Structures are given as structure tokens and as C-alpha cells.
Amino acid sequence: MATEQYDVAIIGGGPAGSTAGTLLRKYKPNIRVLILEREKFPRDHVGESQLPGISRILDEMGCWDKVEAANFPIKIGATYKWGKTAELWDFDFMPPQMIQELPRPGKYEGQRVHLAFQVDRSIYDHILLDHALEHGCEVRQETRVTSVQAEGDRVTGLRLENGEEVSARWYFDASGHSGILRRALDVEATYPTALQNIAIWDYWQNATWAEEIGIGGTRVQVMSLGYGWIWFIPLGPTRTSVGLVIPKTTFKEMGLSPQEAYTQALTQESRIRGFMEGAVSEHKLQTTRDWSFEAARHCGENWFLIGESSGFADPILSAGLSITHACAREAAFTILTMDANPADKEWLASEYNTRQSRRIQAHIRFADYWYTANTQFSELKAFTSTIAKESGLNLDPEEAWRWLGQGGFILDDQTFGLAGIHFTLFADLSNHLAQLPNIHEVENNNVFVMDVKGAAHQDFAQYEDGHVIKIPCLTRNGKIWPLQGAYGIWHKILRIAKTTPEIIDGLKATLPRNLTPHEHNTQMFHIGTALNVLIVEGWVKASMDPRYPIFKPMSYTKTIHKHERDAPLQTVGKGRKG
């Protein structure tokens, strides 16, 4: 059959493929995009719990209103049984008492910007794929790619199951764990963590939500069993995803079938068991190997890996869809910029590859830390020594614990979070689970001296409005100081100031004068967070001088706190709409 030519061919119609296709067409309406999906939507898929950064991308895609109209539960945060005691604790995106009972559907503004969704992937993925179709992508479902043709590192075409061949200038592998293009090009996968789990899950009708916060808001439940953990994620008014994650070695030692191991776990965890009284299984039990990996390369001559074909991080922190949407967006912007500025192709590819690698590694290491903070899984300090070695550091357990506790893996960019990791979350986690020293250094010091000895200047990619722009950065020993935004403000101020009074004067001269009180508080929170990151990353030396007042730039509310079992929250009855 004749070969058909496209600008971009995308293998996979899940969130990665749909995000890339929609944004390509949004910012370059005449580009010809083909999305090849082997299944027929709707179809179920694991990975339902989101982080707030996804909503910003959905809004940019123009489909946030469609997702909101689907009436998915609003994710306020999560309730955990994790750590050294059996007590419950909450991680919230914003304080529950500040959440207003806003009618639904609502607009992407106000508190919606800080919250997330818990999505039924059979519905969510279908919404996104249809949205890509509406934006002008050619979408072919039930179309399997059977082979990839390549010359060296350049993909030259795709052969489909019906014998047809298609070619494109650019190729995106959004095929998930299948990694169709990745495997065809022999791109190796590395496994940078000792954690290798399996997941077993099913869907249930008429389970009871743990609680209702505002209108349609709730927390997902993550309950440690000692040998594994259970997730409980409401997906809609009546449907709930309930899954078990356990190490593969533990599963083998149990000598049980997946169904038997799953049923046993549900009977062992009393909180989850209570929510499921009267619930009915859909009998769709599924299993998957769940260990983290990263592709050795994330892009090549004319191809990009996006979504889980590029890498996967343990699901404990709900990072999967955040990584998927973020890297799909950046890959789309990268090729649009390559087309506009061919001379920058090498730099653009390097930035995408480096950024995606850092993102995946950060989440893997964050998940490693999370697991080590649970004494029911392993010895804390001994395991952190292993994590340090994987980062190229030969530290004894005590040194490794200190290194990780002081922000060893913090890789924040100018948006104060790499696909969902936030400095303040790490600080709260360290304090709550591991009783580490308070790393809110801004609150403990009043003299701040910039240290850029040995740093080099380097351009850093920023992705916005359909293109990639260069922003100046300082780099040293793998650390990055972007000289823009709140980080840029500190580079400007600390060149001429170091004490609290001098810094306050510098901030007054730098910040706009017409900010509302809310805008001012938000700016100061970001500025304070940026200074904390710079201190932990070693760019700023902090100390205390009794002659000066403490610098308190932000109003800080803890994101992690003890769960109040008797809090006056409404319980959603079975079948009640959230």
C-alpha cells in the first residue's frame, strides 16, 4: 500500500499522545498530526490519581472544562497510614477549612488552581482523545503498529497491521510500557532503584467515600500493610479503584494467586474494609509489574519518547500522569521550536533529554525516600545509603540520611516543583515521618550570602506558549540556579544585600507596587520558598546575627498534618453524587 506522509506520527492515544497532538495543533494549526491507538476507547487504565500541575496543562489544551464537567471527584489530598506509627495523617494541597463549597461544574480559577482530579481513565482518556480529534488530529483507533523502519537513529516509517505504511518528519512514542519505538530502536532501559513492586487492582461499585470536603472533594486513601500498601481512589459518584502494591519477592513468598493476595489484603486493612462494606466488585482484576525504570535516551534524530515509554516512577506519589502530561507538552513545544529555529536543534534535544531524565529520577528518588520513611518496609538509614550510591555518592548510612534529609534530591526548577515535587512537601515529610531537622532555613536565619564560586553560565529551557525560550542559569555540580522569576530576584538582591533589613529594602524596590494583598502574599511565599531551595542547594550560605530581625517572607501552612478522625466532615453515602 502507498505510504502516507504526516508532519508528526504519534504511537498511542492515551494522555501523552492526546496532549502532544492537541498542543501541536493549537500552536500550529496547519501541522498534520496522526495518532495511532491500538485499542478502542473507552477502556480502563490504571493511574487515576492526579496532582494539581495537570490541571494547568488541561487548561492550556482547552479541555479543562470538559474534564470538570465529567464530575470526577476533586482531589483535596490524601490520607496515609504510613511511617513509624499506625496513626493516620493527611497531605493536603490546601487547608480544608479554606475550601469553599463551590457549585459544579466550575471554572479553572481560585481554589481549582490548587486542587486536582481523581479520574476514571476510561472516561478521562476518551475525553482527551476526542479533544485531540476536534483540534484537527487524525485519530485512528484499533490500529496497531507492527514494525518501525529506521536508518541508524532516524525513523523512516511505521508499518500498520493492515499493511499500510505511514511516514512523518517527527515520531512520538506514547505507547506506554510497550515502548514500541523505544524497543525497535534498541534504547536501553535502566532500573535506578531497588524497589520492584507489582500492582493488583479491581474496580468496585458503591464503596463509601472516606469523607467529603466542600462539594465533590475528597482524599484518596493510602494504607500501609507492613508488607505492602493499598490505594483507595473514588473515581466518580459510585465507582472506586482499589489496588494493592507489594514487592515482587513478597508476592512470590506468599504463594498465593493475585486474587487471593488481593482479597487477603482487603480483609487485613480495617479502614479500607469499612469503606467497602456492601460494595460490589466489577470482577476486572488486573495485575502489572510496577517497578520504576528510565530510558537511557528520551529523544533522537527525529523521535521522542513521551509518557511511560520514557520512564515510570513508583505510583505512591501519584506522579505518573504529571510526568506524562508535562513531557508530552515539552516534546510538542520542542519540535515546534526546532522547525522554527533549526540551528538550535541540538540544544533543544539536549534540554528535553536532560529535563525528562531529571524529572523521572527525581520522582524515583522521592519515592525511594518515601518508602524509607516507613519502618514497616526497611531500615531507614541503611536504605538511604543505597539511594546515595545510586546518585554517585559513597556515604555511610548516617551521612546518607543527613544528605537525603537536607534535600539531596531536590531538583526544583523556576516553577518551584518538578512535575509535582515541592520543597515544602519534602520539608513537611521529613519532619513528620523522620523527625529530621527543620529545613525551613529562612525562618531560622537573617544573614544570607550568595556563593557562586565555581559556577558556570548556561542557558536553560523554559516551555511556554508553544515554544521553548532560553533563560540564563548558573550551574555547579549538577545544581541549577535559574536567573529568572523568584530565583532571579534573589540573584539580583544578594549581589548587593545580605542582612534582613537590606533584603527587605531590596524586595520593596523590586516587587510591583500595585499588588493586591493576596498577590503580595503569593509572591512572598514563592520568594521565601526560592530562598529555601537556594540555601539547601548550596547557592546561599545562611547564618544568624542577633543584631538583625528574622526574615519572615511567607505565611506558611503545613501540607502534612495529623488526620482528625472526629473532624466534622460529611460522609458521602453509597451512590451519592460527589
Side-chain angles (χ1 to χ4, degrees), residues 56 355 411-423 487:
R56 182 170 59 252
R355 187 180 182 91
L411 298 169
D412 287 27
D413 63 10
Q414 68 275 15
T415 60
F416 303 100
L418 203 57
I421 296 177
H422 198 285
F423 180 88
Y487 289 109

Side-chain angles (χ1 to χ4, degrees), residues 248-395:
K248 67 172 184 176
T249 53
T250 300
F251 177 67
K252 289 181 179 179
E253 292 168 357
M254 292 171 71
L256 302 175
S257 69
Q259 181 67 69
E260 290 169 337
Y262 181 77
T263 301
Q264 175 179 287
L266 296 187
T267 61
Q268 290 173 334
E269 214 304 300
S270 60
R271 182 173 173 83
I272 301 300
R273 186 173 67 245
F275 298 148
M276 299 181 68
E277 290 182 3
V280 179
S281 168
E282 294 184 6
H283 300 293
K284 295 181 177 180
L285 190 80
Q286 300 177 59
T287 64
T288 185
R289 71 179 202 172
D290 199 24
W291 45 88
S292 303
F293 79 94
E294 182 197 354
R297 293 188 295 149
H298 304 281
C299 60
E301 178 65 24
N302 67 336
W303 55 268
F304 287 78
L305 306 181
I306 60 177
E308 290 184 8
S309 68
S310 181
F312 177 77
D314 190 279
I316 186 66
L317 298 171
S318 305
L321 278 177
S322 293
I323 294 175
T324 291
H325 282 286
C327 72
R329 174 179 180 269
E330 291 162 9
F333 289 12
T334 296
I335 67 167
L336 292 177
T337 308
M338 284 179 171
D339 282 348
N341 303 300
D344 285 337
K345 182 178 179 180
E346 184 176 343
W347 175 79
L348 289 163
S350 176
E351 284 294 298
Y352 176 82
N353 190 71
T354 300
R355 187 180 182 91
Q356 180 66 348
S357 180
R358 285 168 60 90
R359 175 184 287 124
I360 294 170
Q361 290 179 24
H363 276 285
I364 289 174
R365 293 167 72 188
F366 201 11
D368 281 346
Y369 174 75
W370 194 282
Y371 277 102
T372 66
N374 187 351
T375 54
Q376 299 176 54
F377 276 83
S378 61
E379 291 297 324
L380 299 181
K381 294 181 180 178
F383 193 62
T384 55
S385 184
T386 301
I387 298 173
K389 286 184 173 66
E390 291 169 352
S391 301
L393 299 175
N394 187 20
L395 304 177

Side-chain angles (χ1 to χ4, degrees), residues 120 123 167 281 438 497 540 560:
D120 186 326
I123 301 172
S167 64
S281 168
N438 189 342
V540 175
I560 293 175

Side-chain angles (χ1 to χ4, degrees), residues 10-18 20 36-37 172-177 179-181 304-309:
I10 302 174
I11 308 173
S18 297
L36 301 166
E37 170 53 49
F172 285 0
D173 185 350
S175 62
H177 276 281
I180 292 172
L181 192 151
F304 287 78
L305 306 181
I306 60 177
E308 290 184 8
S309 68

Side-chain angles (χ1 to χ4, degrees), residues 326-544:
C327 72
R329 174 179 180 269
E330 291 162 9
F333 289 12
T334 296
I335 67 167
L336 292 177
T337 308
M338 284 179 171
D339 282 348
N341 303 300
D344 285 337
K345 182 178 179 180
E346 184 176 343
W347 175 79
L348 289 163
S350 176
E351 284 294 298
Y352 176 82
N353 190 71
T354 300
R355 187 180 182 91
Q356 180 66 348
S357 180
R358 285 168 60 90
R359 175 184 287 124
I360 294 170
Q361 290 179 24
H363 276 285
I364 289 174
R365 293 167 72 188
F366 201 11
D368 281 346
Y369 174 75
W370 194 282
Y371 277 102
T372 66
N374 187 351
T375 54
Q376 299 176 54
F377 276 83
S378 61
E379 291 297 324
L380 299 181
K381 294 181 180 178
F383 193 62
T384 55
S385 184
T386 301
I387 298 173
K389 286 184 173 66
E390 291 169 352
S391 301
L393 299 175
N394 187 20
L395 304 177
D396 65 32
E398 191 71 33
E399 292 171 331
W401 183 246
R402 180 77 180 177
W403 165 77
L404 201 55
Q406 291 300 314
F409 58 80
I410 294 176
L411 298 169
D412 287 27
D413 63 10
Q414 68 275 15
T415 60
F416 303 100
L418 203 57
I421 296 177
H422 198 285
F423 180 88
T424 54
L425 169 59
F426 172 74
D428 280 353
L429 179 65
S430 299
N431 182 263
H432 184 87
L433 294 183
Q435 290 78 53
L436 292 173
N438 189 342
I439 61 172
H440 290 289
E441 301 290 352
V442 172
E443 300 174 356
N444 302 322
N445 297 283
N446 56 16
V447 178
F448 307 95
V449 179
M450 181 167 60
D451 177 10
V452 295
K453 184 178 180 181
H457 286 269
Q458 180 179 327
D459 288 330
F460 185 79
Q462 182 167 303
Y463 302 80
E464 58 183 44
D465 299 329
H467 58 274
V468 185
I469 62 174
K470 296 179 179 181
I471 64 171
C473 296
L474 295 175
T475 63
R476 182 178 61 196
N477 299 327
K479 306 293 186 181
I480 297 174
W481 184 350
L483 304 182
Q484 185 167 307
Y487 289 109
I489 288 174
W490 284 116
H491 185 259
K492 177 181 178 181
I493 289 177
L494 294 179
R495 285 185 297 175
I496 58 175
K498 64 178 183 178
T499 66
T500 297
E502 294 169 335
I503 287 172
I504 292 174
D505 289 342
L507 288 172
K508 288 180 179 178
T510 301
L511 295 179
R513 297 180 180 275
N514 59 346
L515 295 177
T516 66
H518 175 73
E519 290 171 336
H520 182 268
N521 289 338
T522 299
Q523 284 264 32
M524 292 304 292
F525 175 79
H526 286 169
I527 287 169
T529 301
L531 183 55
N532 258 320
V533 173
L534 292 171
I535 295 169
V536 172
E537 297 276 70
W539 293 108
V540 175
K541 305 297 183 185
S543 62
M544 168 64 71

